[in-house]
Amino acid sequence: MNIETLRKHGIPGQVINRWKSSGMKFLLPIQAESVNSYGILDGQSVVINGPGTSGKTFCGETAAIRNATRGGKSVFLVPLKAIAEEKYRLFKKRYAPLGIRVAMATRDHIDRGIARGEYEILISVYEKFNSLTATDITLIRNTGCFILDEFQMISNSERGFNLELLIARIREFNPESQLVLLMGEGSSPRNVSEWLDIPCLEENRRPVDLRLGILHRGTFHFRGFNDFREGEEFWLERREKTDYDGVLGDQAVAAIEALITKGEQVIVFCSSKPGCMKLAEHLAA
């Protein structure tokens, strides 16, 4: 589906041009279906479930922009401060030149204009938004569209109640608002759909296939996410000893260095901030 088609759904041409300048020419399957079959650009609420890179986050973005360009306010809720800051920078760069005001509320940052309603899109962390609306529900009443990203966290024993509280407040004080709940793999979107009585859009394939595997003695043994095809790739001739003494093993660090040497992009997830910084410093050297 060509992104130009969104003009007939009320998305202004200047917004579409900004998307095109970012390299977006066509909608991914989950995005096209959310528009054509689930009315996301008509203000309909929906639960969207799909794997990473399936394009579900942009579904939420289109809903927020649709509402913002029609004079309404949208709230984009995420689980982590780092995600909020990244999305804030992206939205400011993409939409501020169009006159769409973007604000952010996290533990460390809150725009002064939020209380006065000086924004079209507010990006916040679940807990911070709950704090802002604990004694004043004006933010909820004035919002036409709520996007809750990573909503599978409702099953988290420590943070799930924050999402339940958010939903309860929205349903109590602004039941006519649009809800867009974005859920990742391993979640139960149909349970949420039945609980809230809103339709569920599910996508099980990735537009770009992903290889999931294990690196063992220099060989990467993998299986495709979409086609389940299994195979092997030789990354290292041998298990190399490195001068890094952090949380990762020698083979993992050697593999990272080998991939970087080949010009590949690498993302490494660490369990702690000090461990992440130590690894980053080692790789940077």
mmCIF file of all heavy atoms in Angstrom, residues 155-196:
data_model
loop_
_atom_site.group_PDB
_atom_site.id
_atom_site.type_symbol
_atom_site.label_atom_id
_atom_site.label_comp_id
_atom_site.label_asym_id
_atom_site.label_seq_id
_atom_site.Cartn_x
_atom_site.Cartn_y
_atom_site.Cartn_z
ATOM 1 N N SER A 155 1.233 -7.833 32.156
ATOM 2 C CA SER A 155 1.388 -9.100 32.876
ATOM 3 C C SER A 155 2.593 -9.089 33.805
ATOM 4 O O SER A 155 2.829 -10.059 34.528
ATOM 5 C CB SER A 155 1.518 -10.260 31.881
ATOM 6 O OG SER A 155 2.679 -10.110 31.076
ATOM 7 N N ASN A 156 3.360 -7.995 33.821
ATOM 8 C CA ASN A 156 4.522 -7.890 34.698
ATOM 9 C C ASN A 156 4.061 -7.722 36.141
ATOM 10 O O ASN A 156 3.238 -6.862 36.450
ATOM 11 C CB ASN A 156 5.378 -6.694 34.263
ATOM 12 C CG ASN A 156 6.650 -6.555 35.075
ATOM 13 O OD1 ASN A 156 6.616 -6.105 36.218
ATOM 14 N ND2 ASN A 156 7.763 -6.935 34.479
ATOM 15 N N SER A 157 4.598 -8.558 37.019
ATOM 16 C CA SER A 157 4.129 -8.574 38.412
ATOM 17 C C SER A 157 4.427 -7.270 39.151
ATOM 18 O O SER A 157 3.741 -6.929 40.119
ATOM 19 C CB SER A 157 4.775 -9.748 39.168
ATOM 20 O OG SER A 157 6.199 -9.633 39.148
ATOM 21 N N GLU A 158 5.449 -6.534 38.729
ATOM 22 C CA GLU A 158 5.831 -5.317 39.433
ATOM 23 C C GLU A 158 5.207 -4.056 38.824
ATOM 24 O O GLU A 158 4.933 -3.096 39.532
ATOM 25 C CB GLU A 158 7.357 -5.175 39.440
ATOM 26 C CG GLU A 158 8.071 -6.275 40.227
ATOM 27 C CD GLU A 158 9.565 -6.077 40.259
ATOM 28 O OE1 GLU A 158 10.054 -5.113 39.625
ATOM 29 O OE2 GLU A 158 10.258 -6.888 40.901
ATOM 30 N N ARG A 159 4.997 -4.054 37.507
ATOM 31 C CA ARG A 159 4.555 -2.817 36.856
ATOM 32 C C ARG A 159 3.185 -2.935 36.188
ATOM 33 O O ARG A 159 2.634 -1.936 35.733
ATOM 34 C CB ARG A 159 5.588 -2.390 35.815
ATOM 35 C CG ARG A 159 6.980 -2.159 36.386
ATOM 36 C CD ARG A 159 7.914 -1.661 35.309
ATOM 37 N NE ARG A 159 7.550 -0.341 34.829
ATOM 38 C CZ ARG A 159 8.098 0.222 33.745
ATOM 39 N NH1 ARG A 159 9.005 -0.420 33.059
ATOM 40 N NH2 ARG A 159 7.709 1.424 33.371
ATOM 41 N N GLY A 160 2.656 -4.141 36.123
ATOM 42 C CA GLY A 160 1.395 -4.339 35.425
ATOM 43 C C GLY A 160 0.249 -3.515 35.964
ATOM 44 O O GLY A 160 -0.610 -3.064 35.205
ATOM 45 N N PHE A 161 0.243 -3.291 37.273
ATOM 46 C CA PHE A 161 -0.873 -2.531 37.859
ATOM 47 C C PHE A 161 -0.913 -1.099 37.347
ATOM 48 O O PHE A 161 -1.978 -0.475 37.304
ATOM 49 C CB PHE A 161 -0.780 -2.543 39.394
ATOM 50 C CG PHE A 161 0.275 -1.620 39.954
ATOM 51 C CD1 PHE A 161 -0.037 -0.336 40.371
ATOM 52 C CD2 PHE A 161 1.589 -2.040 40.055
ATOM 53 C CE1 PHE A 161 0.932 0.514 40.884
ATOM 54 C CE2 PHE A 161 2.559 -1.201 40.565
ATOM 55 C CZ PHE A 161 2.240 0.070 40.972
ATOM 56 N N ASN A 162 0.255 -0.552 36.936
ATOM 57 C CA ASN A 162 0.278 0.809 36.390
ATOM 58 C C ASN A 162 -0.522 0.894 35.102
ATOM 59 O O ASN A 162 -1.223 1.886 34.851
ATOM 60 C CB ASN A 162 1.724 1.242 36.130
ATOM 61 C CG ASN A 162 2.476 1.559 37.404
ATOM 62 O OD1 ASN A 162 2.157 2.511 38.109
ATOM 63 N ND2 ASN A 162 3.478 0.749 37.721
ATOM 64 N N LEU A 163 -0.438 -0.156 34.271
ATOM 65 C CA LEU A 163 -1.196 -0.165 33.028
ATOM 66 C C LEU A 163 -2.678 -0.373 33.304
ATOM 67 O O LEU A 163 -3.529 0.226 32.645
ATOM 68 C CB LEU A 163 -0.653 -1.246 32.087
ATOM 69 C CG LEU A 163 0.605 -0.848 31.306
ATOM 70 C CD1 LEU A 163 1.838 -0.962 32.187
ATOM 71 C CD2 LEU A 163 0.774 -1.689 30.061
ATOM 72 N N GLU A 164 -2.997 -1.230 34.279
ATOM 73 C CA GLU A 164 -4.409 -1.427 34.646
ATOM 74 C C GLU A 164 -5.003 -0.125 35.166
ATOM 75 O O GLU A 164 -6.152 0.217 34.844
ATOM 76 C CB GLU A 164 -4.529 -2.528 35.690
ATOM 77 C CG GLU A 164 -4.263 -3.925 35.155
ATOM 78 C CD GLU A 164 -4.785 -4.991 36.095
ATOM 79 O OE1 GLU A 164 -5.951 -4.901 36.511
ATOM 80 O OE2 GLU A 164 -4.010 -5.912 36.409
ATOM 81 N N LEU A 165 -4.227 0.592 35.957
ATOM 82 C CA LEU A 165 -4.693 1.867 36.508
ATOM 83 C C LEU A 165 -4.921 2.881 35.389
ATOM 84 O O LEU A 165 -5.919 3.614 35.389
ATOM 85 C CB LEU A 165 -3.672 2.399 37.513
ATOM 86 C CG LEU A 165 -4.011 3.714 38.219
ATOM 87 C CD1 LEU A 165 -5.324 3.610 38.967
ATOM 88 C CD2 LEU A 165 -2.878 4.099 39.180
ATOM 89 N N LEU A 166 -4.008 2.917 34.420
ATOM 90 C CA LEU A 166 -4.161 3.819 33.278
ATOM 91 C C LEU A 166 -5.455 3.528 32.523
ATOM 92 O O LEU A 166 -6.232 4.437 32.222
ATOM 93 C CB LEU A 166 -2.975 3.665 32.328
ATOM 94 C CG LEU A 166 -1.701 4.439 32.664
ATOM 95 C CD1 LEU A 166 -0.554 3.968 31.789
ATOM 96 C CD2 LEU A 166 -1.927 5.930 32.484
ATOM 97 N N ILE A 167 -5.660 2.251 32.214
ATOM 98 C CA ILE A 167 -6.857 1.862 31.468
ATOM 99 C C ILE A 167 -8.115 2.213 32.258
ATOM 100 O O ILE A 167 -9.102 2.721 31.706
ATOM 101 C CB ILE A 167 -6.829 0.365 31.145
ATOM 102 C CG1 ILE A 167 -5.716 0.056 30.135
ATOM 103 C CG2 ILE A 167 -8.168 -0.098 30.599
ATOM 104 C CD1 ILE A 167 -5.921 0.675 28.777
ATOM 105 N N ALA A 168 -8.088 1.951 33.554
ATOM 106 C CA ALA A 168 -9.260 2.245 34.396
ATOM 107 C C ALA A 168 -9.591 3.730 34.384
ATOM 108 O O ALA A 168 -10.758 4.121 34.275
ATOM 109 C CB ALA A 168 -9.004 1.760 35.827
ATOM 110 N N ARG A 169 -8.565 4.580 34.481
ATOM 111 C CA ARG A 169 -8.804 6.022 34.486
ATOM 112 C C ARG A 169 -9.310 6.507 33.130
ATOM 113 O O ARG A 169 -10.209 7.342 33.055
ATOM 114 C CB ARG A 169 -7.513 6.755 34.852
ATOM 115 C CG ARG A 169 -7.191 6.727 36.338
ATOM 116 C CD ARG A 169 -5.887 7.427 36.635
ATOM 117 N NE ARG A 169 -5.639 7.479 38.070
ATOM 118 C CZ ARG A 169 -4.454 7.743 38.611
ATOM 119 N NH1 ARG A 169 -3.417 7.959 37.826
ATOM 120 N NH2 ARG A 169 -4.310 7.761 39.919
ATOM 121 N N ILE A 170 -8.716 5.991 32.061
ATOM 122 C CA ILE A 170 -9.155 6.401 30.729
ATOM 123 C C ILE A 170 -10.603 5.993 30.494
ATOM 124 O O ILE A 170 -11.423 6.779 30.006
ATOM 125 C CB ILE A 170 -8.232 5.787 29.646
ATOM 126 C CG1 ILE A 170 -6.828 6.375 29.752
ATOM 127 C CG2 ILE A 170 -8.801 6.029 28.247
ATOM 128 C CD1 ILE A 170 -5.787 5.664 28.914
ATOM 129 N N ARG A 171 -10.925 4.757 30.860
ATOM 130 C CA ARG A 171 -12.285 4.271 30.657
ATOM 131 C C ARG A 171 -13.295 5.019 31.528
ATOM 132 O O ARG A 171 -14.456 5.194 31.156
ATOM 133 C CB ARG A 171 -12.339 2.765 30.946
ATOM 134 C CG ARG A 171 -11.791 1.909 29.785
ATOM 135 C CD ARG A 171 -12.690 2.083 28.575
ATOM 136 N NE ARG A 171 -12.227 1.430 27.383
ATOM 137 C CZ ARG A 171 -12.571 0.201 27.011
ATOM 138 N NH1 ARG A 171 -13.351 -0.528 27.785
ATOM 139 N NH2 ARG A 171 -12.139 -0.301 25.881
ATOM 140 N N GLU A 172 -12.864 5.464 32.686
ATOM 141 C CA GLU A 172 -13.775 6.157 33.602
ATOM 142 C C GLU A 172 -14.001 7.616 33.180
ATOM 143 O O GLU A 172 -15.131 8.101 33.188
ATOM 144 C CB GLU A 172 -13.212 6.118 35.026
ATOM 145 C CG GLU A 172 -14.012 6.916 36.051
ATOM 146 C CD GLU A 172 -15.395 6.363 36.312
ATOM 147 O OE1 GLU A 172 -15.625 5.160 36.059
ATOM 148 O OE2 GLU A 172 -16.264 7.134 36.784
ATOM 149 N N PHE A 173 -12.919 8.310 32.816
ATOM 150 C CA PHE A 173 -13.018 9.749 32.603
ATOM 151 C C PHE A 173 -13.029 10.172 31.130
ATOM 152 O O PHE A 173 -13.313 11.328 30.827
ATOM 153 C CB PHE A 173 -11.873 10.459 33.327
ATOM 154 C CG PHE A 173 -11.875 10.233 34.814
ATOM 155 C CD1 PHE A 173 -10.880 9.498 35.424
ATOM 156 C CD2 PHE A 173 -12.895 10.745 35.597
ATOM 157 C CE1 PHE A 173 -10.890 9.273 36.797
ATOM 158 C CE2 PHE A 173 -12.916 10.540 36.970
ATOM 159 C CZ PHE A 173 -11.912 9.789 37.577
ATOM 160 N N ASN A 174 -12.719 9.261 30.203
ATOM 161 C CA ASN A 174 -12.750 9.596 28.784
ATOM 162 C C ASN A 174 -13.052 8.340 27.966
ATOM 163 O O ASN A 174 -12.233 7.902 27.148
ATOM 164 C CB ASN A 174 -11.413 10.217 28.348
ATOM 165 C CG ASN A 174 -11.507 10.905 27.000
ATOM 166 O OD1 ASN A 174 -12.501 10.778 26.286
ATOM 167 N ND2 ASN A 174 -10.460 11.631 26.629
ATOM 168 N N PRO A 175 -14.215 7.752 28.165
ATOM 169 C CA PRO A 175 -14.536 6.470 27.523
ATOM 170 C C PRO A 175 -14.643 6.543 26.006
ATOM 171 O O PRO A 175 -14.568 5.514 25.335
ATOM 172 C CB PRO A 175 -15.875 6.087 28.153
ATOM 173 C CG PRO A 175 -16.479 7.388 28.587
ATOM 174 C CD PRO A 175 -15.318 8.233 29.017
ATOM 175 N N GLU A 176 -14.823 7.727 25.433
ATOM 176 C CA GLU A 176 -14.963 7.870 23.981
ATOM 177 C C GLU A 176 -13.627 8.028 23.270
ATOM 178 O O GLU A 176 -13.583 8.079 22.044
ATOM 179 C CB GLU A 176 -15.847 9.084 23.667
ATOM 180 C CG GLU A 176 -17.249 9.000 24.254
ATOM 181 C CD GLU A 176 -17.980 7.745 23.790
ATOM 182 O OE1 GLU A 176 -17.911 7.439 22.579
ATOM 183 O OE2 GLU A 176 -18.609 7.087 24.631
ATOM 184 N N SER A 177 -12.532 8.102 24.011
ATOM 185 C CA SER A 177 -11.225 8.297 23.393
ATOM 186 C C SER A 177 -10.771 7.028 22.668
ATOM 187 O O SER A 177 -11.249 5.923 22.940
ATOM 188 C CB SER A 177 -10.182 8.679 24.449
ATOM 189 O OG SER A 177 -10.051 7.648 25.412
ATOM 190 N N GLN A 178 -9.855 7.211 21.735
ATOM 191 C CA GLN A 178 -9.307 6.080 20.979
ATOM 192 C C GLN A 178 -8.164 5.439 21.759
ATOM 193 O O GLN A 178 -7.270 6.123 22.250
ATOM 194 C CB GLN A 178 -8.786 6.558 19.624
ATOM 195 C CG GLN A 178 -8.202 5.439 18.762
ATOM 196 C CD GLN A 178 -7.626 5.948 17.453
ATOM 197 O OE1 GLN A 178 -7.330 7.141 17.316
ATOM 198 N NE2 GLN A 178 -7.472 5.070 16.474
ATOM 199 N N LEU A 179 -8.209 4.115 21.863
ATOM 200 C CA LEU A 179 -7.150 3.348 22.511
ATOM 201 C C LEU A 179 -6.426 2.521 21.461
ATOM 202 O O LEU A 179 -7.040 1.746 20.732
ATOM 203 C CB LEU A 179 -7.724 2.408 23.572
ATOM 204 C CG LEU A 179 -8.050 2.964 24.955
ATOM 205 C CD1 LEU A 179 -8.721 1.888 25.793
ATOM 206 C CD2 LEU A 179 -6.777 3.443 25.642
ATOM 207 N N VAL A 180 -5.101 2.663 21.393
ATOM 208 C CA VAL A 180 -4.276 1.839 20.518
ATOM 209 C C VAL A 180 -3.257 1.145 21.406
ATOM 210 O O VAL A 180 -2.350 1.781 21.947
ATOM 211 C CB VAL A 180 -3.576 2.677 19.433
ATOM 212 C CG1 VAL A 180 -2.700 1.782 18.556
ATOM 213 C CG2 VAL A 180 -4.604 3.415 18.581
ATOM 214 N N LEU A 181 -3.431 -0.158 21.585
ATOM 215 C CA LEU A 181 -2.562 -0.936 22.465
ATOM 216 C C LEU A 181 -1.623 -1.774 21.613
ATOM 217 O O LEU A 181 -2.059 -2.618 20.824
ATOM 218 C CB LEU A 181 -3.395 -1.840 23.370
ATOM 219 C CG LEU A 181 -4.560 -1.160 24.123
ATOM 220 C CD1 LEU A 181 -5.275 -2.157 25.007
ATOM 221 C CD2 LEU A 181 -4.054 0.018 24.941
ATOM 222 N N LEU A 182 -0.325 -1.556 21.766
ATOM 223 C CA LEU A 182 0.689 -2.234 20.973
ATOM 224 C C LEU A 182 1.343 -3.314 21.815
ATOM 225 O O LEU A 182 1.887 -3.030 22.890
ATOM 226 C CB LEU A 182 1.734 -1.229 20.494
ATOM 227 C CG LEU A 182 1.174 0.024 19.786
ATOM 228 C CD1 LEU A 182 2.313 0.988 19.445
ATOM 229 C CD2 LEU A 182 0.391 -0.361 18.534
ATOM 230 N N MET A 183 1.294 -4.552 21.333
ATOM 231 C CA MET A 183 1.786 -5.688 22.105
ATOM 232 C C MET A 183 2.776 -6.505 21.276
ATOM 233 O O MET A 183 2.574 -6.709 20.080
ATOM 234 C CB MET A 183 0.624 -6.580 22.558
ATOM 235 C CG MET A 183 -0.434 -5.837 23.353
ATOM 236 S SD MET A 183 -1.762 -6.899 23.981
ATOM 237 C CE MET A 183 -0.885 -7.832 25.240
ATOM 238 N N GLY A 184 3.826 -6.979 21.925
ATOM 239 C CA GLY A 184 4.861 -7.743 21.244
ATOM 240 C C GLY A 184 4.662 -9.242 21.364
ATOM 241 O O GLY A 184 3.603 -9.729 21.775
ATOM 242 N N GLU A 185 5.716 -9.963 20.995
ATOM 243 C CA GLU A 185 5.663 -11.417 21.001
ATOM 244 C C GLU A 185 5.493 -11.959 22.423
ATOM 245 O O GLU A 185 5.871 -11.334 23.400
ATOM 246 C CB GLU A 185 6.954 -11.974 20.404
ATOM 247 C CG GLU A 185 7.228 -11.521 18.984
ATOM 248 C CD GLU A 185 8.623 -11.898 18.546
ATOM 249 O OE1 GLU A 185 8.861 -13.099 18.331
ATOM 250 O OE2 GLU A 185 9.463 -11.005 18.424
ATOM 251 N N GLY A 186 4.926 -13.155 22.500
ATOM 252 C CA GLY A 186 4.787 -13.830 23.779
ATOM 253 C C GLY A 186 3.714 -13.257 24.671
ATOM 254 O O GLY A 186 3.657 -13.557 25.864
ATOM 255 N N SER A 187 2.833 -12.402 24.134
ATOM 256 C CA SER A 187 1.777 -11.790 24.929
ATOM 257 C C SER A 187 0.441 -12.464 24.632
ATOM 258 O O SER A 187 0.364 -13.402 23.844
ATOM 259 C CB SER A 187 1.704 -10.284 24.642
ATOM 260 O OG SER A 187 1.533 -10.043 23.261
ATOM 261 N N SER A 188 -0.610 -11.985 25.260
ATOM 262 C CA SER A 188 -1.946 -12.561 25.082
ATOM 263 C C SER A 188 -2.898 -11.479 24.588
ATOM 264 O O SER A 188 -3.778 -11.023 25.326
ATOM 265 C CB SER A 188 -2.442 -13.150 26.409
ATOM 266 O OG SER A 188 -1.553 -14.127 26.892
ATOM 267 N N PRO A 189 -2.739 -11.050 23.327
ATOM 268 C CA PRO A 189 -3.554 -9.939 22.825
ATOM 269 C C PRO A 189 -5.041 -10.228 22.805
ATOM 270 O O PRO A 189 -5.853 -9.325 22.998
ATOM 271 C CB PRO A 189 -3.006 -9.722 21.407
ATOM 272 C CG PRO A 189 -2.414 -11.041 21.028
ATOM 273 C CD PRO A 189 -1.842 -11.594 22.291
ATOM 274 N N ARG A 190 -5.436 -11.472 22.571
ATOM 275 C CA ARG A 190 -6.864 -11.793 22.504
ATOM 276 C C ARG A 190 -7.517 -11.674 23.880
ATOM 277 O O ARG A 190 -8.683 -11.304 23.986
ATOM 278 C CB ARG A 190 -7.061 -13.182 21.901
ATOM 279 C CG ARG A 190 -6.648 -13.239 20.438
ATOM 280 C CD ARG A 190 -7.168 -14.468 19.729
ATOM 281 N NE ARG A 190 -6.810 -14.429 18.317
ATOM 282 C CZ ARG A 190 -7.514 -13.804 17.384
ATOM 283 N NH1 ARG A 190 -8.610 -13.160 17.726
ATOM 284 N NH2 ARG A 190 -7.119 -13.803 16.115
ATOM 285 N N ASN A 191 -6.774 -11.986 24.928
ATOM 286 C CA ASN A 191 -7.305 -11.798 26.282
ATOM 287 C C ASN A 191 -7.562 -10.317 26.558
ATOM 288 O O ASN A 191 -8.587 -9.945 27.137
ATOM 289 C CB ASN A 191 -6.332 -12.358 27.318
ATOM 290 C CG ASN A 191 -6.254 -13.868 27.292
ATOM 291 O OD1 ASN A 191 -7.109 -14.531 26.720
ATOM 292 N ND2 ASN A 191 -5.220 -14.428 27.893
ATOM 293 N N VAL A 192 -6.625 -9.475 26.141
ATOM 294 C CA VAL A 192 -6.786 -8.030 26.319
ATOM 295 C C VAL A 192 -7.952 -7.525 25.468
ATOM 296 O O VAL A 192 -8.752 -6.697 25.902
ATOM 297 C CB VAL A 192 -5.480 -7.295 25.954
ATOM 298 C CG1 VAL A 192 -5.685 -5.782 25.974
ATOM 299 C CG2 VAL A 192 -4.366 -7.700 26.906
ATOM 300 N N SER A 193 -8.051 -8.039 24.239
ATOM 301 C CA SER A 193 -9.134 -7.653 23.334
ATOM 302 C C SER A 193 -10.499 -7.971 23.935
ATOM 303 O O SER A 193 -11.416 -7.150 23.901
ATOM 304 C CB SER A 193 -8.967 -8.377 21.992
ATOM 305 O OG SER A 193 -10.066 -8.151 21.149
ATOM 306 N N GLU A 194 -10.616 -9.162 24.508
ATOM 307 C CA GLU A 194 -11.887 -9.547 25.132
ATOM 308 C C GLU A 194 -12.160 -8.737 26.388
ATOM 309 O O GLU A 194 -13.309 -8.347 26.644
ATOM 310 C CB GLU A 194 -11.848 -11.044 25.465
ATOM 311 C CG GLU A 194 -11.816 -11.939 24.222
ATOM 312 C CD GLU A 194 -11.642 -13.401 24.583
ATOM 313 O OE1 GLU A 194 -11.646 -13.724 25.798
ATOM 314 O OE2 GLU A 194 -11.495 -14.236 23.663
ATOM 315 N N TRP A 195 -11.131 -8.484 27.158
ATOM 316 C CA TRP A 195 -11.280 -7.721 28.404
ATOM 317 C C TRP A 195 -11.814 -6.315 28.126
ATOM 318 O O TRP A 195 -12.725 -5.833 28.805
ATOM 319 C CB TRP A 195 -9.925 -7.671 29.113
ATOM 320 C CG TRP A 195 -9.831 -6.707 30.253
ATOM 321 C CD1 TRP A 195 -10.750 -6.503 31.245
ATOM 322 C CD2 TRP A 195 -8.748 -5.808 30.521
ATOM 323 N NE1 TRP A 195 -10.307 -5.531 32.120
ATOM 324 C CE2 TRP A 195 -9.090 -5.100 31.709
ATOM 325 C CE3 TRP A 195 -7.523 -5.557 29.904
ATOM 326 C CZ2 TRP A 195 -8.238 -4.144 32.259
ATOM 327 C CZ3 TRP A 195 -6.682 -4.605 30.454
ATOM 328 C CH2 TRP A 195 -7.038 -3.903 31.624
ATOM 329 N N LEU A 196 -11.260 -5.662 27.103
ATOM 330 C CA LEU A 196 -11.630 -4.273 26.810
ATOM 331 C C LEU A 196 -12.692 -4.153 25.721
ATOM 332 O O LEU A 196 -13.154 -3.047 25.427
ATOM 333 C CB LEU A 196 -10.377 -3.488 26.395
ATOM 334 C CG LEU A 196 -9.283 -3.379 27.465
ATOM 335 C CD1 LEU A 196 -8.053 -2.703 26.903
ATOM 336 C CD2 LEU A 196 -9.795 -2.637 28.689
#
